[in-house]
Amino acid sequence: MSCYKASMFNRILKKNGGMILFNSKTGPYGIKRVAYKQQKLVEDYLLNPDKGSIQDELYGKLIEYGFLVPKEIDEKQIREYYQTLALANPRLRLVVHTSRNCNFRCTYCYMDFKDESICVETKQGIINFILKNIQHYKSIHISWFGGEPLLGIDAIKEISEKVIDICAKAKKPYSASITTNGYLLTPENIDILIRSKVTSFFITIDGIKQQHDRQRILENGDGTFDTIINNLLYIRDNVKTRALNIAIRSNMTKQHVDALSDYYSFYDKCFGDDSRFSLYAKAVGDYGGARVKKIQPSMLNGMENIYDKLSQLNGKIKFMWNINDLDIGSSCCPSREYNKFTIGCDGSVHKCDEDLQGYPVGQLYPDGRMEIYEAEYAKWVHIRQRPRCDNCFFSLICFMEGCPKSRIFHNTNICETNFEEVDSLIWWAAEATNAKFILPE
Amino acid sequence: MDVNKECVVETVTKCLENIGVIIETTNLEISDVNIIEYNIDSLDFISFLVDLEERLDIIIPEEILRFDILQSLNGFVNLIVKIHNDQRS
């Protein structure tokens, strides 16, 4: 009798005579291919581990790569450990809305724009909060968000200068990221952002020019593609530091699928030789709002077709964020971390980055005091247990709840995972990470 | 102008302090330090590199942007000295 069992985090996938093994604990870089002749035996071992022996090389490899685990290991307890770890992340993560306005009017955008910028009291509140509480945290990270955060570039500069100084004096690491439409990433603004230690950029460009300029337009209806690409080319050619991550996010519709090859070759040609740039493809989702109704017929059900097609493309530019979607906890919203707060322009404190309409979980005052509304805050920060998800391989990735907002505001309790999409992503990640055979034939 | 190793050690020590890693860096050749043991994560690492680039006015090449480069602080310092002097020559 063997002392091993199959890991509950395994996913075995078969297609066109091929077979791959994925385990959500070892993640995308732990994916293994199985040679045709070994497939039946691998399945036998994973279905009935008592049949095998550690003397057998293939069985030994299944143990080595985490597909078979010792029987005494309680993997649900391990999952709970990771859930706790994520919840209690010692980094202070502030998502700061510098502006509620946006210079774009994207066809699918769900937000209502207001001509409101971050107020003086909120800026003071953020600086004073960090100053007073820095010793409680391991490090500080600010994500600049909006609206369009670059409409508030002066606030980014002002807050960053003060916070960088506070962190340096307290000997705490400081880092920053920005989610922007890229239109205002001018050389002057890039310079300010680099000085403000912004090292991660999330920039949305929806495909190639024709597609992008249909969806992501200025308030006056003009296209925005050329300006954004020129801004990124300026970064490629003039910003010297290599310690940057620039993720180009594309919101995909049916039209994008038809032109996927053109899309990929365009970005590969422009940015494939610069590893600071990566792509991130996502299906346009219906998050509500009036504008999205107009493009509903062209919306995708999921990404599975796209992942299948991407695996056939060759080039240098990588889809890093898509691959990272298979890491532990990556499908679980960071809003559930104790130390993650989204700060509205008026100092209201929220958990969700994108919905400042709902009930705030607190209020930040100019003196740096953050009042927390316990009842609201407590709805977000807890370890989710859902009996029907208890044995699912994906539960280590989604922590049994993708979007807490759906549960809290819409009272939905459904599994949000599209497993066909996840399986396609695993197949594609096997290609993208050049997954090796568990044992050569 | 070429930079000497002591100057780089001093700057690296300062940058490490800024990410909360306080270490003894005298005599690195004899008692090397593994920075990875100090529980820093990828964001801290990037923050450290950006600070170092700024202070030494260098561009750290891509092949060094790997976490495991900090397994040997002595090796890392030697590398930075070389990068600095190469970029000045």
Side-chain angles (χ1 to χ4, degrees), chain A residues 28-29 245-248 275-281 316-327 425 428-429 432-433:
Chain A
Y29 294 93
N245 290 308
I246 302 163
I248 299 171
S275 64
R276 295 176 295 181
F277 290 84
S278 64
L279 296 175
Y280 185 40
K316 290 182 196 157
I317 194 160
K318 301 274 183 261
F319 285 79
M320 290 312 297
W321 285 86
N322 291 87
I323 296 170
N324 294 345
D325 279 351
L326 293 172
D327 285 335
L425 175 57
W428 175 62
T433 61

Side-chain angles (χ1 to χ4, degrees), chain A residues 17 43 46 57 107 126 201 299 304 314 333 363 365 378 401:
Chain A
E43 266 189 295
L46 291 177
E57 197 181 0
T107 48
I126 291 166
F201 294 74
M299 281 166 65
E304 56 264 34
N314 292 312
C333 180
Q363 179 67 38
Y365 297 103
E401 181 174 69

Side-chain angles (χ1 to χ4, degrees), chain A residues 104-120:
Chain A
F104 281 21
R105 287 296 178 268
C106 302
T107 48
Y108 48 77
C109 185
Y110 55 90
M111 290 184 95
D112 290 319
F113 300 107
K114 283 187 180 170
D115 196 8
E116 183 186 354
S117 300
I118 187 167
C119 65
V120 177

Side-chain angles (χ1 to χ4, degrees), chain A residues 160-412:
Chain A
S160 300
E161 277 173 4
K162 299 264 171 50
V163 174
I164 288 168
D165 188 48
I166 294 167
C167 290
K169 283 183 181 143
K171 312 286 182 210
K172 300 277 182 177
Y174 173 77
S175 57
S177 58
I178 188 164
T179 302
T180 167
N181 58 39
Y183 193 81
L184 297 172
L185 274 176
T186 58
E188 298 76 32
N189 284 346
I190 273 292
D191 188 49
I192 293 172
L193 293 173
I194 301 283
R195 285 174 198 280
S196 302
K197 294 192 185 289
V198 176
T199 52
S200 292
F201 294 74
F202 303 94
I203 298 160
T204 305
I205 311 176
D206 287 349
I208 49 180
K209 184 173 167 63
Q210 298 90 314
Q211 300 153 345
H212 176 94
D213 282 347
R214 228 184 349 242
Q215 290 178 183
R216 295 181 67 78
I217 47 178
L218 290 172
E219 228 173 327
N220 64 11
D222 284 355
T224 57
F225 184 83
D226 293 336
T227 303
I228 302 170
I229 292 296
N230 285 335
N231 289 342
L232 294 184
L233 291 173
Y234 175 85
I235 297 177
R236 183 195 70 181
D237 298 335
N238 296 286
V239 175
K240 290 186 177 148
T241 179
R242 309 307 295 169
L244 289 184
N245 290 308
I246 302 163
I248 299 171
R249 176 184 162 134
S250 290
N251 297 309
M252 297 279 174
T253 61
K254 284 174 186 164
Q255 283 83 19
H256 293 94
V257 182
D258 298 336
L260 209 59
S261 173
D262 293 343
Y263 158 79
Y264 188 75
S265 2
F266 175 81
Y267 288 100
D268 193 46
K269 196 173 147 207
C270 289
F271 305 110
D273 288 323
D274 189 333
S275 64
R276 295 176 295 181
F277 290 84
S278 64
L279 296 175
Y280 185 40
K282 275 290 194 196
V284 170
D286 184 352
Y287 299 106
R291 281 189 293 274
V292 78
K293 288 192 170 59
K294 290 183 195 160
I295 59 157
Q296 233 147 14
S298 66
M299 281 166 65
L300 297 163
N301 291 324
M303 287 286 290
E304 56 264 34
N305 287 335
I306 293 181
Y307 288 135
D308 286 346
K309 289 193 174 190
L310 287 177
S311 62
Q312 290 151 26
L313 302 172
N314 292 312
K316 290 182 196 157
I317 194 160
K318 301 274 183 261
F319 285 79
M320 290 312 297
W321 285 86
N322 291 87
I323 296 170
N324 294 345
D325 279 351
L326 293 172
D327 285 335
I328 293 173
S330 60
S331 257
C332 167
C333 180
S335 295
R336 284 195 291 174
E337 293 173 13
Y338 294 131
N339 299 323
K340 187 262 175 190
F341 304 100
T342 300
I343 313 292
C345 293
D346 57 357
S348 55
V349 179
H350 301 257
K351 274 296 190 178
C352 180
D353 302 344
E354 295 169 350
D355 186 5
L356 303 192
Q357 321 289 339
Y359 295 108
V361 301
Q363 179 67 38
L364 182 64
Y365 297 103
D367 62 0
R369 189 166 49 92
M370 189 187 283
E371 183 185 1
I372 291 292
Y373 311 145
E374 285 173 351
E376 292 302 322
Y377 178 81
K379 288 176 186 170
W380 296 82
V381 290
H382 66 103
I383 291 181
R384 185 84 172 133
Q385 302 289 0
R386 193 149 55 177
R388 66 164 174 240
C389 302
D390 203 30
N391 295 310
C392 176
F393 84 99
F394 203 70
S395 60
L396 192 60
I397 295 176
C398 70
F399 289 159
M400 295 189 253
E401 181 174 69
C403 175
K405 188 178 113 183
S406 309
R407 169 179 49 82
I408 296 167
F409 294 135
H410 309 299
N411 205 20
T412 54

